[in-house]
C-alpha cells in the first residue's frame, strides 16, 4: 500500500494509506456513525458527490454482499481508520478493496477518523480531496460544489416491480436516488411498483393509473431541483403521496416552505426522533445534509422532530392527502422502528385518514 493524503479545504493535511481505486478525487467530506451497514452506505445514491468517512474504526469485516446493495455506488471517495482484508461471513461476495477498485472509488485508510470527525463537528462539513501528492493550489478544492446529482443517479427508463402475492395497489415511485428497500417494503404490502426517472412530468404519473405516489431519497441541495418541485405541486391533493428524505424536502418546497443546510448533517443509524402526535421516540437511520424549516410550511403540520437538535423530521399534509419524513423507515443495516409508515401510506391509498 502506498502513501496518500486527505487534504481539507482549510489546508489541513492527513497522511494515510491508499486502497481502492487509484487516482485523485474531490468531494464534500461527511461522516456517518453506523457500526454496521457500510455496504448499504456505499450503495446509497444519496452520497453522490461526497467523500464518506466512517466513524466506526473497523470497516469491511463481513465483506461486500451484493444482495444488500441499495443502488449504484456514487460516492466520490471513502475514508476509514482500518479496512479488513480478510472478511469472514457466509454471504461474503468479495472484499472492500476489490469493490472500491471495481467501482472506481479511491479510498484512504490509516487516518485518525476521530480527529477528523471532531473537526467536521466544530467547523462544519467541508470539501476535501484524496490524493497522492498534496496540491500547492487549493482553488479547485475550495470551489467544488455538489450539483446536478439527482439527474446523475436517477434511473434512465421506467421499470416495473410486481407485488409479493396479490396486487392490492399500484404505486408510482419517483427515483431521485431511490434505495432498493423502499421498493421491497411496498412490494411486501401488496403494492406493484413502477419506478420512474426523476424528470417525469406529473401528468405521466397521474395518467399511469397509480393509486399513490412515492417520492424517494436522493442527493444534493433540494432547492436545486426546480423541475421536480413544480411536478410535486401538480401532484399534491390529486393522489396519496409519501415522501422520504429528499422527497420530504422537495414536498416542503412545493408547499411553499424553505430548506437550509445543516452544519454537519445527520448520518447514521442512531438518530432519535420524537413523534409529536404521540408519546413515542424512535431510533432512526438518516443520511441528509439539509433540513426543512418546519415553521415555513403553512399547508402542513410538523409530525416528527429530532430529539437531539429539534430539527423537523416529518410533516403531515392532511388536506393534501400527503405525509413526508426526513428519516429512512425502509432502513436496512439500521433500525426498523418506523416501518409502520408504509402501512400508513397503504391506509391512505385505501381512502383512510392520516
Amino acid at each position: 500500500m502506498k502513501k496518500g493524503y486527505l487534504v481539507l479545504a482549510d489546508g489541513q493535511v492527513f497522511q494515510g494509506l491508499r486502497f481502492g481505486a487509484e487516482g485523485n478525487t474531490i468531494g464534500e467530506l461527511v461522516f456517518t456513525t453506523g457500526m454496521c451497514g457500510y455496504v448499504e452506505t456505499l450503495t446509497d445514491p444519496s452520497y453522490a458527490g461526497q467523500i464518506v468517512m466512517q466513524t466506526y474504526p473497523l470497516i469491511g469485516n463481513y465483506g461486500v454482499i451484493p444482495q444488500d446493495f441499495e443502488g449504484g455506488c456514487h460516492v466520490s471517495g471513502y475514508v476509514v481508520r482500518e479496512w479488513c482484508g480478510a472478511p469472514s461471513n457466509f454471504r461474503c461476495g468479495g472484499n472492500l478493496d476489490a469493490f472500491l477498485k471495481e467501482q472506481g472509488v479511491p479510498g484512504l485508510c490509516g487516518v485518525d477518523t476521530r480527529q477528523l470527525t471532531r473537526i467536521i463537528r466544530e467547523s462544519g462539513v467541508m470539501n476535501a480531496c484524496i490524493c497522492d501528492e498534496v496540491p500547492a493550489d487549493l482553488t479547485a478544492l475550495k470551489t467544488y460544489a455538489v450539483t446536478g446529482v439527482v439527474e446523475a443517479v436517477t434511473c434512465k427508463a421506467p421499470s416495473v416491480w410486481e407485488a409479493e402475492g396479490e396486487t392490492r395497489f399500484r404505486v408510482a415511485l419517483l427515483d431521485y436516488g431511490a434505495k432498493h428497500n423502499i421498493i421491497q417494503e411496498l412490494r411486501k404490502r401488496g403494492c406493484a411498483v413502477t419506478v420512474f426517472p426523476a424528470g417525469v412530468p406529473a401528468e405521466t404519473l397521474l395518467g399511469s393509473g397509480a393509486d399513490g405516489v412515492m417520492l424517494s431519497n436522493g442527493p444534493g441541495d433540494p432547492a436545486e431541483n426546480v423541475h421536480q418541485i413544480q411536478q410535486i405541486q401538480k401532484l399534491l391533493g390529486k393522489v396519496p403521496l409519501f415522501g422520504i428524505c429528499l422527497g420530504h424536502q422537495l414536498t416542503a418546497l412545493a408547499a411553499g416552505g424553505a430548506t437550509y443546510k445543516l452544519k454537519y448533517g445527520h448520518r447514521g443509524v442512531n438518530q432519535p426522533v420524537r413523534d409529536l402526535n404521540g408519546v413515542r421516540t424512535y431510533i432512526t437511520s438518516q443520511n441528509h445534509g439539509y433540513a426543512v424549516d418546519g415553521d415555513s410550511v403553512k399547508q402542513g403540520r410538523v409530525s416528527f422532530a429530532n430529539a437531539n437538535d429539534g430539527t423537523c423530521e416529518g410533516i403531515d399534509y392532511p388536506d393534501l392527502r400527503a405525509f413526508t419524513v426526513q428519516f429512512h423507515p425502509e432502513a436496512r443495516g439500521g433500525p426498523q422502528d418506523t416501518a409502520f409508515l408504509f402501512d400508513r401510506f397503504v391506509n391512505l391509498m385505501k381512502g383512510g385518514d392520516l
Side-chain angles (χ1 to χ4, degrees), residues 196-344:
F196 289 94
V200 165
E203 292 78 8
T204 299
L205 300 178
L206 293 172
S208 70
D211 300 298
V213 173
M214 187 93 215
L215 307 179
S216 83
N217 61 290
D221 181 350
E224 182 184 70
N225 301 284
V226 176
H227 173 75
Q228 285 76 18
I229 294 167
Q230 291 171 343
Q231 304 318 301
I232 295 171
Q233 287 173 336
K234 298 176 184 178
L235 294 170
L236 285 170
K238 303 286 181 57
V239 62
L241 185 147
F242 179 20
I244 292 174
C245 199
L246 182 62
H248 159 75
Q249 298 163 358
L250 295 179
T251 304
L253 291 169
T259 57
Y260 61 96
K261 191 168 186 176
L262 294 167
K263 186 175 181 179
Y264 49 81
H266 300 151
R267 297 177 181 88
V269 297
N270 58 350
Q271 295 285 333
V273 168
R274 291 186 296 115
D275 182 352
L276 302 183
N277 298 321
V279 296
R280 291 286 302 274
T281 296
Y282 300 98
I283 303 301
T284 69
S285 175
Q286 299 193 23
N287 170 24
H288 63 104
Y290 291 81
V292 172
D293 178 355
D295 294 332
S296 70
V297 181
K298 306 306 180 185
Q299 297 187 65
R301 60 172 185 254
V302 176
S303 55
F304 294 95
N306 191 288
N308 287 330
D309 60 15
T311 52
C312 173
E313 294 281 4
I315 299 177
D316 289 346
Y317 303 88
D319 295 337
L320 300 174
R321 302 171 66 207
F323 69 102
T324 65
V325 293
Q326 183 64 77
F327 49 88
H328 288 273
E330 84 293 346
R332 287 197 307 181
Q336 301 289 309
D337 296 27
T338 56
F340 68 86
L341 291 170
F342 287 97
D343 298 318
R344 181 182 295 179

Side-chain angles (χ1 to χ4, degrees), residues 19-74:
F19 76 116
E22 296 183 359
N24 301 336
T25 188
I26 295 177
E28 184 181 61
L29 180 65
V30 301
F31 67 84
T32 182
T33 61
M35 295 175 65
C36 61
Y38 58 84
V39 172
E40 290 84 351
T41 293
L42 282 167
T43 57
D44 180 352
S46 296
Y47 283 110
Q50 296 176 324
I51 296 175
V52 177
M53 177 176 63
Q54 302 273 176
T55 61
Y56 191 69
L58 178 61
I59 298 296
N61 53 313
Y62 54 85
V64 173
I65 304 167
Q67 297 95 321
D68 291 346
F69 289 1
E70 288 285 10
C73 179
H74 296 281

Side-chain angles (χ1 to χ4, degrees), residues 32 43 65 78-79 88 103 136 149 165 173 188 193 228 243 247 265 287 352:
T32 182
T43 57
I65 304 167
Y78 200 50
V79 178
S88 177
Q103 299 297 322
V149 280
L173 170 61
K188 286 193 299 187
V193 182
Q228 285 76 18
N287 170 24

